[in-house]
Amino acid sequence: MNAPHESGAAHPLSRRHLTLPDYVVQTWAIFVAAYRELNARKLFWVALLLNGLVIGAVAAVGIDEKGISVFGYELGIPGVTTRTFPDGQLYKVILSALGVGFWLSWLSTILALLSTASMFPDLVTGGVDTMLSKPIGRGRLFFTKFATGLLFTALQVSVFALLAFFVLGIRGGVWELGIFVVVPLMVVFFSYLFAVQAVVGAVTKSPIASVIVTLLFWIFIFLVHSGEQFTLVGRTASGLEIAGIEAKLDSLKTEEAKEGLRKPLEEQRAADENWVLAHRIFFGVKTVLPKTTETAGLVTRALAVAADIGEEEDAEADDENARRQRGFFRSQFVTERKLRGAIEEEMAKRPVWWVVGTSFAFEVVLLTLGAWWFRRRDF
Amino acid sequence: MGATIAAHPLQRDGRPTLRLMVADARSQESDGSTAIDLVDVTKMYAGRVHALQGVAMRVPRGEIFGLLGPNGAGKSTLVKIMTTIVRPTTARGTILGMPIGHRPTLSRVGYLPEHHRFPAYLTGRQCVEFFGAMGLMRCAERHRRAAELLDVVGMGAWGDRRVGTYSKGMQQRTGLAAALVNDPELVILDEPTDGVDPVGRAEIRDVLLRMRAEGRTVFLNSHLLGEVELVCDRVAIMLKGKVERQGTMADLTHDSRAWRVTIEGAAPAWCAQFGTASTDGSRASIDFKSEDLAVLQSLIDRLRAERIAIVGVRETRESLENLFMRLVRDVDGRASAVGASNVNSAMRAGGSQ
């Protein structure tokens, strides 16, 4: 216990302002402690194991010019060959649908939320006094702690991406570096939900409450998304139907023939107003909320999974599908292909910055409120 | 340079902000002899509860300072304001020459909170190193200090086990090591012997004395009066959010300085003019209060002149415990009197309506 300041020299840690190396030392220490916390949690290793199993399952699928197989056992599914799925497309589809759409977007995220649930309640109940007595600002502590909470997902998804990269390369013959885009995108995806969990956890000091509120919030944004998509389909179909009726009216020569279509046109226009209003409401609400589904969907876009795989085969069945769907939308002029094309066009109009930017805006506002509360509290 | 008076950068009454205060403090640095210089610290909870009411306190460097007070006196609130854990309503004063709340200064302060809880997933060594890093220490230095301090607090053999497996006493020792890791000039300890066995307490006392010998200032917040009396150079007694008394042990008990002269046989009648005489078997004792040694000398001279055998002369002072209890009773009495007076006033007011 030597005391260097005894000699009258300034204390080695004496300073008027913190410097960049000071920030680095503190931030690194918090991240290392967070990593040790994850390491100590069984759930982290369970999730990592499940990651390996998911990728192992994808790797077990084989495809050649004859068909598809699992662990070398031919499944005998017609049409699924390297001709229809060239250049590792099958693996991309499976990784996108199963790996990202199901595993990373749902199960892995729930495991991550459970694993990190106690992080903020622990911060405000256990070690907060010792931490705040150190030269670290409350705001910085809050945001750094939040960033360490993303470590779980970052590590899990990095392992997933690395394994997927090798599966695509070895089994699919495509060395797709683009697969690594899944890491930032899934971290961003998780951060939307973790922001809610962090703020609720800090305020309520309860890990259980933070998980429940976050899951309920997730369900809520999923319902809003579903509502928005449903009303988008309705609005688009309605618009196409109106356009179809109007085109038909133009093509008709006699007034008697036209008269039969005027009433349906009026009815369709009235219905269209309702669809437009309903969609506008859902879209407005959705705009200010995090867009989890779309963010996960960006991975699919990045993986360049061709949306029109099997398009030729579908085309033949299209009229039948369209006829079946007309009952629902009372449509005479909208085919499924037209509808799908119009919706895809609409969705493509929503750029990445809108998806991520508006979601981030929500996250930033929420975290700023959380940090403001944390800065003002007495512990 | 004169006394340093600076407001807490986080205080809530719209006083100067951190940046202003840092600049201000440059022109206000203390002469270096004072570790803590509180001028006016106030904390009001929820707009009504006055936890601290204009606390003023001065702690010289290189001493062990004990803060005493019953539960709810505001001791922990004061400590937490000094370490920026609680935001003050007003806080004028300095810590190590800088305004209270000046963040970089905290790298020179060590703090062991009451009921602290370290992350259970870290080992004792990792804990100490982690708090070293939070206190801005570089890697090699904190490795070295952690190893050294774990040995000092008797945790060297347990340093690589997880904190979750530690007993309360072991956690307290580890906490002490963590508080000292940044080689602090000022160490603030809130109930450091809480949950520690008697041997451990004695060891912690030794550590405190070593810290003083090394020139550090120790601010000790404790309920244990005996412990405080054993190690502290100065003491402040807080009651109901106010500092009732502060000073060296001698200062505090100055008024209670008394003498006891024990003689063989019965006390002569004239002894009553000096003090109270009491008999115990074949001996008698004469007790009296006086700061003037001439009084004692005159008593001894007269006893010797009358050939009365003097068995012993002893200086007595009020113990810290007695002083503390007396102050608590006084303040409670005052509060009761004020309460009763308020009730009477209210009744009178009610009666006159």
Side-chain angles (χ1 to χ4, degrees):
Chain A
M1 279 209 307
N2 56 329
H5 53 281
E6 252 185 319
S7 59
H11 191 282
L13 299 172
S14 177
R15 59 205 71 190
R16 290 195 185 276
H17 305 283
L18 298 189
T19 58
L20 183 63
D22 293 334
Y23 291 126
V24 172
V25 165
Q26 289 179 326
T27 308
W28 180 249
I30 295 173
F31 267 90
V32 169
Y35 171 72
R36 285 177 172 148
E37 182 176 3
L38 288 182
N39 236 337
R41 287 183 197 274
K42 283 186 186 137
L43 214 51
F44 177 75
W45 295 102
V46 168
L48 212 58
L49 184 72
L50 288 173
N51 248 326
L53 286 176
V54 169
I55 296 293
V58 177
V61 177
I63 185 168
D64 55 24
E65 57 281 352
K66 284 186 271 178
I68 190 169
S69 64
V70 175
F71 290 115
Y73 179 78
E74 293 285 341
L75 294 182
I77 300 172
V80 183
T81 65
T82 43
R83 190 178 64 82
T84 50
F85 289 95
D87 304 327
Q89 283 287 11
L90 179 69
Y91 293 101
K92 287 185 185 178
V93 168
I94 299 175
L95 281 172
S96 174
L98 175 72
V100 177
F102 182 67
W103 164 242
L104 290 182
S105 301
W106 290 98
L107 285 181
S108 179
T109 301
I110 289 170
L111 289 177
L113 288 172
L114 292 175
S115 270
T116 52
S118 60
M119 204 171 248
F120 274 82
D122 280 353
L123 174 70
V124 295
T125 53
V128 71
D129 37 11
T130 324
M131 289 291 273
L132 293 180
S133 70
K134 300 294 174 191
I136 182 166
R138 290 187 180 204
R140 191 156 67 86
L141 177 60
F142 186 88
F143 283 109
T144 310
K145 199 73 185 165
F146 175 78
T148 63
L150 306 179
L151 202 63
F152 182 101
T153 301
L155 291 174
Q156 295 284 350
V157 181
S158 296
V159 169
F160 175 90
L162 190 69
L163 294 175
F165 176 73
F166 284 114
V167 166
L168 270 175
I170 295 166
R171 300 286 283 158
V174 186
W175 296 96
E176 181 73 68
L177 277 171
I179 188 80
F180 287 100
V181 80
V182 77
V183 180
L185 284 176
M186 291 317 296
V187 170
V188 164
F189 170 92
F190 177 68
S191 75
Y192 307 152
L193 299 171
F194 186 56
V196 176
Q197 180 165 274
V199 174
V200 174
V203 173
T204 64
K205 301 177 190 171
S206 163
I208 295 171
S210 69
V211 170
I212 290 172
V213 171
T214 307
L215 291 178
L216 288 175
F217 176 74
W218 196 4
I219 291 169
F220 172 70
I221 54 177
F222 179 74
L223 290 177
V224 170
H225 168 77
S226 302
E228 191 272 332
Q229 289 292 293
F230 178 75
T231 51
L232 175 67
V233 171
R235 194 198 76 177
T236 312
S238 171
L240 290 172
E241 183 70 5
I242 290 169
I245 296 172
E246 283 172 345
K248 184 75 178 174
L249 275 172
D250 288 345
S251 67
L252 291 174
K253 302 261 189 286
T254 62
E255 277 303 311
E256 290 80 14
K258 285 182 180 179
E259 201 55 44
L261 282 175
R262 282 205 175 104
K263 198 178 171 213
L265 180 63
E266 288 309 310
E267 284 174 358
Q268 195 60 53
R269 280 184 175 148
D272 188 59
E273 281 177 22
N274 292 336
W275 279 118
V276 169
L277 177 67
H279 181 256
R280 198 170 284 164
I281 291 168
F282 273 108
F283 188 77
V285 175
K286 185 178 171 173
T287 300
V288 296
L289 290 174
K291 281 149 274 292
T292 48
T293 312
E294 270 106 332
T295 305
L298 292 176
V299 179
T300 312
R301 281 200 216 174
L303 281 174
V305 176
D308 57 350
I309 289 169
E311 192 71 29
E312 295 306 312
E313 289 83 349
D314 281 355
E316 286 173 20
D318 188 56
D319 287 344
E320 184 56 37
N321 284 335
R323 269 193 294 276
R324 263 191 265 122
Q325 291 212 350
R326 273 172 202 155
F328 182 72
F329 288 112
R330 294 175 191 171
S331 165
Q332 294 177 48
F333 300 98
V334 184
T335 64
E336 190 181 341
R337 284 188 75 183
K338 256 195 205 170
L339 182 61
R340 202 171 64 188
I343 289 170
E344 276 168 10
E345 197 180 323
E346 172 69 26
M347 293 301 286
K349 283 182 193 165
R350 299 175 186 178
V352 174
W353 71 260
W354 180 82
V355 174
V356 178
T358 53
S359 304
F360 254 140
F362 172 87
E363 190 177 327
V364 167
V365 169
L366 188 65
L367 286 176
T368 305
L369 284 173
W372 175 79
W373 173 87
F374 185 68
R375 279 171 61 91
R376 292 193 63 79
R377 255 211 72 170
D378 291 331
F379 293 97
Chain B
M1 298 245 217
T4 313
I5 301 170
H8 191 295
L10 298 174
Q11 74 183 43
R12 286 170 162 167
D13 63 351
R15 283 168 191 269
T17 59
L18 175 65
R19 197 167 296 168
L20 285 174
M21 293 319 304
V22 173
D24 193 29
R26 286 176 187 163
S27 60
Q28 290 190 336
E29 284 201 21
S30 67
D31 56 8
S33 66
T34 310
I36 299 173
D37 187 7
L38 308 182
V39 178
D40 176 20
V41 181
T42 308
K43 175 66 185 178
M44 192 187 280
Y45 283 109
R48 257 174 280 154
V49 181
H50 262 103
L52 297 176
Q53 303 178 52
V55 170
M57 195 180 282
R58 205 176 167 92
V59 180
R61 280 182 190 256
E63 290 191 1
I64 302 181
F65 188 94
L67 181 62
L68 292 172
N71 290 334
K75 305 186 303 293
S76 289
T77 302
L78 181 65
V79 164
K80 286 181 174 185
I81 284 174
M82 290 196 289
T83 48
T84 74
I85 298 159
V86 165
R87 294 158 52 88
T89 307
T90 54
R92 295 197 307 133
T94 60
I95 303 275
L96 298 175
M98 298 300 278
I100 307 165
H102 178 240
R103 210 153 272 131
T105 302
L106 294 172
S107 65
R108 295 186 285 144
V109 177
Y111 174 50
L112 174 66
E114 187 184 12
H115 309 309
H116 67 88
R117 221 175 72 197
F118 285 149
Y121 51 85
L122 294 181
T123 66
R125 191 180 309 280
Q126 287 168 347
C127 259
V128 176
E129 288 184 11
F130 173 71
F131 287 110
M134 295 311 295
L136 311 179
M137 291 183 79
R138 299 306 188 251
C139 193
E141 181 61 8
R142 59 178 191 257
H143 282 320
R144 189 186 67 73
R145 286 283 296 168
E148 183 187 318
L149 285 166
L150 285 169
D151 283 337
V152 167
V153 298
M155 288 295 293
W158 291 80
D160 293 317
R161 299 212 184 178
R162 283 196 177 160
V163 172
T165 63
Y166 287 1
S167 68
K168 180 77 181 25
M170 290 161 86
Q171 288 193 28
Q172 205 67 3
R173 287 161 185 255
T174 309
L176 191 58
L180 296 173
V181 67
N182 54 332
D183 195 14
E185 291 171 49
L186 168 65
V187 188
I188 300 172
L189 306 172
D190 202 347
E191 305 291 354
T193 54
D194 187 23
V196 181
D197 60 35
V199 177
R201 285 181 182 196
E203 286 172 3
I204 288 176
R205 271 202 302 273
D206 288 344
V207 172
L208 299 185
L209 295 173
R210 260 174 87 174
M211 284 196 265
R212 178 174 62 187
E214 289 167 354
R216 295 177 216 277
T217 310
V218 180
F219 189 94
L220 181 64
N221 185 9
S222 177
H223 287 108
L224 303 173
L225 301 171
E227 203 164 76
V228 170
E229 200 165 14
L230 274 175
V231 295
C232 290
D233 302 296
R234 274 168 211 271
V235 171
I237 298 175
M238 271 188 82
L239 297 170
K240 296 185 189 294
K242 289 180 183 164
V243 176
E244 283 295 324
R245 290 280 175 86
Q246 64 177 311
T248 61
M249 294 298 295
D251 290 342
L252 292 179
T253 54
H254 183 265
D255 294 343
S256 66
R257 191 181 189 193
W259 297 95
R260 165 168 282 200
V261 179
T262 310
I263 55 172
E264 275 295 340
W270 53 262
C271 284
Q273 63 186 279
F274 283 92
T276 317
S278 58
T279 308
D280 183 13
S282 62
R283 291 177 176 176
S285 295
I286 303 135
D287 294 298
F288 64 97
K289 274 187 173 182
S290 177
E291 276 305 303
D292 191 358
L293 282 175
V295 178
L296 175 66
Q297 289 304 329
S298 106
L299 172 64
I300 291 170
D301 290 346
R302 195 158 174 191
L303 288 169
R304 287 174 66 85
E306 294 191 13
R307 296 189 172 277
I308 295 171
I310 300 171
V311 177
V313 177
R314 190 160 60 93
E315 183 187 3
T316 60
R317 278 176 193 266
E318 190 176 25
S319 69
L320 186 60
E321 186 170 348
N322 282 348
L323 172 71
F324 179 76
M325 294 309 293
R326 185 162 56 79
L327 283 173
V328 170
R329 276 195 295 268
D330 285 353
V331 169
D332 283 347
R334 280 207 306 264
S336 308
V338 169
S341 149
N342 288 344
V343 170
N344 289 339
S345 305
M347 286 174 73
R348 277 197 299 275
S352 66
Q353 278 171 358

